[in-house]
Amino acid sequence: MVSLGEGSARVFGADPVLRGYLRHVLLEDSAASAELFGCLLPGARAEAERLSEVHGEQAPDEEWGPSRCAA
């Protein structure tokens, strides 16, 4: 089974145009950008938790909290 991080790296890392587009969309101040970030955030949290379990460290919850990520 492929982890979320590995799968994301395969999809986004393989195509420099897609990486650039994703970066552009996430950096713009728009409703679409906030919505995309909201869709990606749960996966990023899950991957951070998985990596924390694998490496024995605690996930940085305070850095990913709703107050910092509100649209």
Side-chain angles (χ1 to χ4, degrees), residues 3-5 8 37-50 64:
S3 74
L4 176 65
S8 296
F37 184 81
C39 291
L40 295 173
L41 187 57
R45 283 184 175 148
E47 184 66 3
E49 289 173 10
R50 185 191 72 78
W64 293 92

Side-chain angles (χ1 to χ4, degrees), residues 14-44:
D15 186 343
V17 174
L18 182 57
R19 278 195 323 264
Y21 177 74
L22 182 63
R23 180 180 183 277
H24 174 77
V25 170
L26 288 171
L27 290 174
E28 69 184 27
D29 186 18
S30 69
S33 176
E35 184 177 348
L36 177 59
F37 184 81
C39 291
L40 295 173
L41 187 57

